[in-house]
Amino acid sequence: MAKVGIVMGSDSDMPVMAQAADILEKLGVDFEMTVISAHREPDIFFQYAKSLEEKGVKVVIAGAGKAAHLPGMCAALFPMPVIGIPMKTSDLGGVDSLYSIVQMPSGIPVATVAINGGTNAGLLAARILAVSDQELLGRLKVYSESLKNDVVTKAEKLDKIGYKEYLGQMKK
Ligand code: RP5
């Protein structure tokens, strides 16, 4: 049963939303994913958001761009955590989406990640679920450890070959 509902306002958001799906898959968290526009199909959106709790979804990740009302509307209808991903946009660079999502009025919270922050949205959803799931918490700790090891390996390589060679290899 899907624990995380991933929803995006347009399939143009897919490359970013796929980052959230990828990390959830890696961590063994079940999710469902769909495209629903709150303004182009409000009736379908309402049915979707109202059905999430009954389906067993515990966290929603909603991505939207421009006048990005989808995460806020999810939070209005779904009573558990909603994470909003502001999409980078062609005209205003995603600051429009960021301000729309992060500036939720008091009472209906949306946890907002960075512009195009798909991976962190997935990780935050997993961390929320890990509050009551020790095995998932263990997998999250292993993931964090792997990030640390990556940096240590890079520092060792830099020490060994020097910055010019390191930079040259990065440009290849
Ligand atoms: C929002 O408008 C979507 O979330 C998307 O980021 C943005 C543009 O949508 P399209 O015009 O690409 O469908 O609804």
Side-chain angles (χ1 to χ4, degrees):
M1 191 190 291
K3 293 255 175 67
V4 179
I6 299 177
V7 61
M8 64 204 90
S10 167
D11 65 352
S12 61
D13 304 328
M14 184 64 83
V16 174
M17 303 311 287
Q19 295 170 6
D22 283 347
I23 193 71
L24 288 172
E25 194 172 88
K26 192 169 178 177
L27 290 164
V29 177
D30 288 336
F31 62 88
E32 59 164 49
M33 193 182 214
T34 191
V35 181
I36 299 181
S37 171
H39 56 277
R40 290 171 178 144
E41 43 179 12
D43 298 351
I44 292 174
F45 167 73
F46 187 85
Q47 279 171 17
Y48 163 79
K50 289 297 273 184
S51 71
L52 287 166
E53 184 183 358
E54 205 172 278
K55 283 194 287 188
V57 168
K58 304 295 182 203
V59 184
V60 167
I61 299 173
K66 301 186 176 179
H69 39 263
L70 185 69
M73 286 305 295
C74 284
L77 294 164
F78 174 72
M80 284 173 274
V82 174
I83 301 165
I85 310 178
M87 292 298 142
K88 188 169 184 184
T89 53
S90 51
D91 295 315
L92 298 177
V95 172
D96 43 352
S97 323
L98 173 65
Y99 284 176
S100 297
I101 295 174
V102 81
Q103 283 293 87
M104 278 300 288
S106 187
I108 307 293
V110 172
T112 311
V113 295
I115 295 170
N116 282 359
T119 299
N120 267 3
L123 283 168
L124 183 54
R127 285 182 176 215
I128 290 166
L129 294 170
V131 165
S132 58
D133 185 335
Q134 283 295 317
E135 287 182 9
L136 177 56
L137 181 59
R139 293 197 290 277
L140 277 162
K141 287 179 180 176
V142 169
Y143 174 79
S144 296
E145 192 66 17
S146 76
L147 296 183
K148 179 185 138 187
N149 292 340
D150 286 349
V151 180
V152 169
T153 303
K154 286 173 184 171
E156 285 171 357
K157 182 178 167 187
L158 175 61
D159 197 42
K160 192 171 160 195
I161 66 177
Y163 80 91
K164 287 182 183 166
E165 176 63 20
Y166 195 104
L167 192 60
Q169 289 187 16
M170 284 178 78
K171 284 178 182 165
K172 276 179 199 160

